[in-house]
Amino acid sequence: MNLPYAEPYKIKMVEAIKRSTKNQRLQWIKEANYNLFNLTSDQVFIDLLTDSGTGAMSDHQWAEMMIGDESYAGSSSYFKLKNTVQRLTGFTYFLPTHQGRAAENVLFSALVKAGDVVPGNSHFDTTKGHIEFRQAKAIDCTIDEAFDTSNLHPFKGNVNLNKLETVFKTYPKETIPFCIVTITCNSSGGQPVAMENIKAVSALCKKYGILLIFDSARFAENAYFIKKREAAYRNKTIKEIAKEFFSYGDGMTMSSKKDGLVNMGGFIALNDEEIYKKATTFNIMFEGFITYGGMNGRDMGALAVGLDEATEFDYLESRVEQVAYLGQKLVEYGVPVQKPFGGHAIFLDANKFVPNIPREEYRAQALAIELYIVGGIRGVEIGTILADRDPKTRQNRYPDLELVRLAIPRRVYSNNHMEYVAVALKNIYETRQEAKHGYKIIEEAPIMRHFTVKLEKI
Ligand code: F0G
């Protein structure tokens, strides 16, 4: 019998989480206008809303917090972080930002203008938001296999090269500031992009003179999948693999709240000095001076350590295999989930789970709410509400997939917690025929409405 993937760490400190009753949760979710973002954390038992900024830091990271250098300019913590980023990514220039979307804001301020198009693989919502906010357009070039939740393609984050080349041929070069490849691809289910695909995208970008930028929030998990699934990389280390894929691009934005193993932070790394100079001006305006960019010195130190820990195989194996453990349990219970399992999350396929709830009644949101009511578990809708309205027609955009994401925080929950989640879903699945109606929107913001939307039960 194979030994299981036990965590390569033990627990030194614990944090209590609160149980509640179903009646309490029915009341709380109503008061929250059926928006899971409006719940207070103590109303949630197992919080799978996001894997972003919710991970547990190590003793070495906490030790680094104590020796953080809070100097406004030239902090030693900044240099620690810069050296680590340069060593791990190979990029020359580095700018810290307070989180990933801030990195997008700074870099896109330097590169994106009205009327531009930005092709990529299922842009994350803040990425799309920052593109559309500048009256530019995000064009999704993800492979079609990604939209079939039962297709077992090993790299469902891949870019379809024909779709990408069509964009390059259709739009003038001056209107394509860059191509953005998200590793792993969050919006298509935490699915990885193959090294082979990254190489091919890079070659195509070079052919047409277009920059290639990585949205790198979960780059270490992407490297893990390459090691496991691409034969040529079986014997390479995670750090070697990451450095290789970054070598095919011109820069990266990073949300350090994921594979940086910290609670807050982000950065930009680049090869081009001119772009770096332009971005620097925006960084100073929006984020802070270039040697802190919205981050505390101690947080930069903890991030430097976190990036090294997150790119170690043993950590990644227990991390990604814990996500798969939950996925496997759900498969055993017959619950429809996206396959292969993502690196940071399991995605429930609401189109298959609750097909009786009309799409106009936000079936994925309805399922997420039910999971909260039944188990005190908070997931998040990745479906029609998240997709926002079309900026021109203001009609709902119905994405191909209606998903509920169960994102697993890093180094936080045990497999018993995963078991609890799986059983709650099994119970919901067994009574799914009873679910016929969902919710209607009573209030929404014009962009990124999912955070503040108010809903009413139909
Ligand atoms: N890019 C990707 C792929 C992301 O998943 C996120 C955030 C960002 C950029 C933005 O980074 O939050 O630091 O500003 N994803 C979180 C999530 C919010 O829950 O998936 P941020």
Side-chain angles (χ1 to χ4, degrees):
M1 197 172 170
N2 288 335
L3 290 171
Y5 303 102
E7 292 79 358
Y9 50 83
K10 55 185 178 176
I11 296 161
K12 196 176 267 189
M13 190 188 282
V14 295
E15 176 184 352
I17 49 177
K18 277 201 184 131
R19 288 179 182 276
S20 52
T21 65
K22 188 171 175 181
N23 279 339
Q24 283 175 314
R25 294 192 291 269
L26 279 166
Q27 182 63 27
W28 290 335
I29 192 68
K30 188 165 177 235
E31 286 164 7
N33 293 110
Y34 299 100
N35 181 339
L36 294 148
F37 285 96
N38 288 338
L39 293 170
T40 60
S41 59
D42 61 355
Q43 293 171 340
V44 177
F45 181 50
I46 297 181
D47 204 348
L48 308 184
L49 181 72
T50 180
D51 63 319
S52 180
T54 53
M57 293 211 295
S58 68
D59 50 355
H60 286 263
Q61 287 180 287
W62 280 106
E64 198 57 50
M65 296 291 278
M66 297 305 292
I67 55 171
D69 177 355
E70 305 305 334
S71 304
Y72 189 97
S75 148
S76 60
S77 305
Y78 161 82
F79 288 107
K80 253 180 216 170
L81 177 55
K82 182 180 174 179
N83 291 339
T84 302
V85 170
Q86 285 174 332
R87 170 167 54 79
L88 291 178
T89 69
F91 291 122
T92 311
Y93 298 100
F94 164 76
L95 280 173
T97 63
H98 80 273
Q99 63 183 94
R101 69 200 68 184
E104 292 164 359
N105 188 30
V106 169
L107 187 64
F108 297 4
S109 292
L111 294 177
V112 181
K113 60 183 188 313
D116 281 355
V117 297
V118 181
N121 56 341
S122 301
H123 310 62
F124 182 64
D125 56 341
T126 60
T127 317
K128 191 155 67 123
H130 273 295
I131 292 167
E132 291 177 352
F133 180 73
R134 291 172 171 79
Q135 267 83 53
K137 199 164 80 175
I139 302 182
D140 187 1
C141 300
T142 313
I143 56 169
D144 293 331
E145 288 90 332
F147 304 103
D148 172 359
T149 56
S150 53
N151 186 311
L152 290 176
H153 193 293
F155 291 101
K156 284 164 108 175
N158 278 0
V159 176
N160 178 313
L161 299 168
N162 291 331
K163 290 185 194 175
L164 184 63
E165 187 155 26
T166 304
V167 175
F168 289 169
K169 282 182 172 159
T170 309
Y171 297 90
K173 190 181 153 199
E174 319 75 72
T175 65
I176 314 175
F178 53 87
C179 165
I180 189 154
V181 175
T182 305
I183 50 177
T184 58
C185 187
N186 189 1
S187 307
S188 77
Q191 299 291 327
V193 183
M195 188 73 87
E196 195 192 4
N197 189 251
I198 294 174
K199 268 193 217 175
V201 169
S202 172
L204 202 58
C205 285
K206 286 204 171 77
K207 181 174 161 196
Y208 286 86
I210 307 291
L211 295 176
L212 173 58
I213 302 291
F214 293 105
D215 175 349
S216 320
R218 300 177 183 85
F219 76 96
E221 289 164 11
N222 201 94
Y224 175 80
F225 283 119
I226 288 175
K227 184 174 168 74
K228 295 293 268 197
R229 296 180 187 172
E230 259 180 294
Y233 293 89
R234 196 176 300 147
N235 297 320
K236 301 244 184 212
T237 65
I238 298 295
K239 286 181 167 65
E240 286 166 343
I241 294 169
K243 198 154 183 183
E244 179 175 335
F245 57 59
F246 285 131
S247 77
Y248 299 126
D250 300 285
M252 65 188 282
T253 55
M254 176 74 187
S255 167
S256 306
K257 303 171 71 170
K258 287 84 167 172
D259 280 350
L261 290 174
V262 292
N263 304 113
M264 194 55 72
F267 61 85
I268 297 166
L270 294 163
N271 277 336
D272 185 284
E273 189 179 0
E274 281 313 303
I275 303 173
Y276 167 73
K277 281 186 182 160
K278 264 193 185 173
T280 296
T281 307
F282 292 107
N283 217 55
I284 293 171
M285 268 196 321
F286 299 147
E287 294 297 297
F289 184 60
I290 53 170
T291 63
Y292 73 90
M295 291 188 73
N296 296 310
R298 52 183 173 272
D299 290 341
M300 289 192 284
L303 173 55
V305 175
L307 286 167
D308 260 321
E309 290 180 358
T311 46
E312 283 301 321
F313 179 78
D314 288 352
Y315 153 73
L316 280 167
E317 183 177 58
S318 74
R319 153 70 177 160
V320 175
E321 297 306 331
Q322 180 178 53
V323 176
Y325 177 86
L326 172 61
Q328 201 48 48
K329 286 276 160 204
L330 292 172
V331 168
E332 279 165 31
Y333 297 148
V335 173
V337 295
Q338 185 187 46
K339 281 186 272 182
F341 308 131
H344 68 295
I346 292 298
F347 292 73
L348 306 172
D349 184 342
N351 285 336
K352 291 184 185 154
F353 201 127
V354 278
N356 296 339
I357 300 177
R359 289 201 80 177
E360 309 76 63
E361 297 180 15
Y362 310 107
R363 55 169 69 129
Q365 179 70 9
L367 178 57
I369 291 167
E370 189 61 17
L371 182 59
Y372 172 69
I373 293 169
V374 168
I377 299 153
R378 173 157 70 171
V380 71
E381 190 248 25
I382 309 263
T384 305
I385 295 181
L386 181 78
D388 268 332
R389 291 179 188 274
D390 183 283
K392 289 220 173 76
T393 66
R394 301 307 302 159
Q395 295 301 307
N396 266 336
R397 290 193 272 214
Y398 291 102
D400 291 325
L401 298 179
E402 289 279 357
L403 303 170
V404 175
R405 184 183 75 172
L406 306 174
I408 315 299
R410 295 169 180 78
R411 306 192 289 207
V412 169
Y413 291 113
S414 70
N415 282 1
N416 274 338
H417 291 114
M418 299 301 113
E419 182 72 39
Y420 175 98
V421 174
V423 172
L425 279 162
K426 175 178 187 281
N427 293 346
I428 299 171
Y429 192 62
E430 280 164 3
T431 56
R432 67 192 179 281
Q433 296 304 342
E434 293 160 27
K436 297 214 166 54
H437 284 291
Y439 294 82
K440 68 170 187 236
I441 291 180
I442 51 171
E443 208 182 295
E444 66 181 281
I447 195 165
M448 288 193 246
R449 62 179 175 178
H450 57 291
F451 289 120
T452 52
V453 70
K454 290 184 181 171
L455 298 159
E456 208 167 67
K457 206 172 161 72
I458 295 176

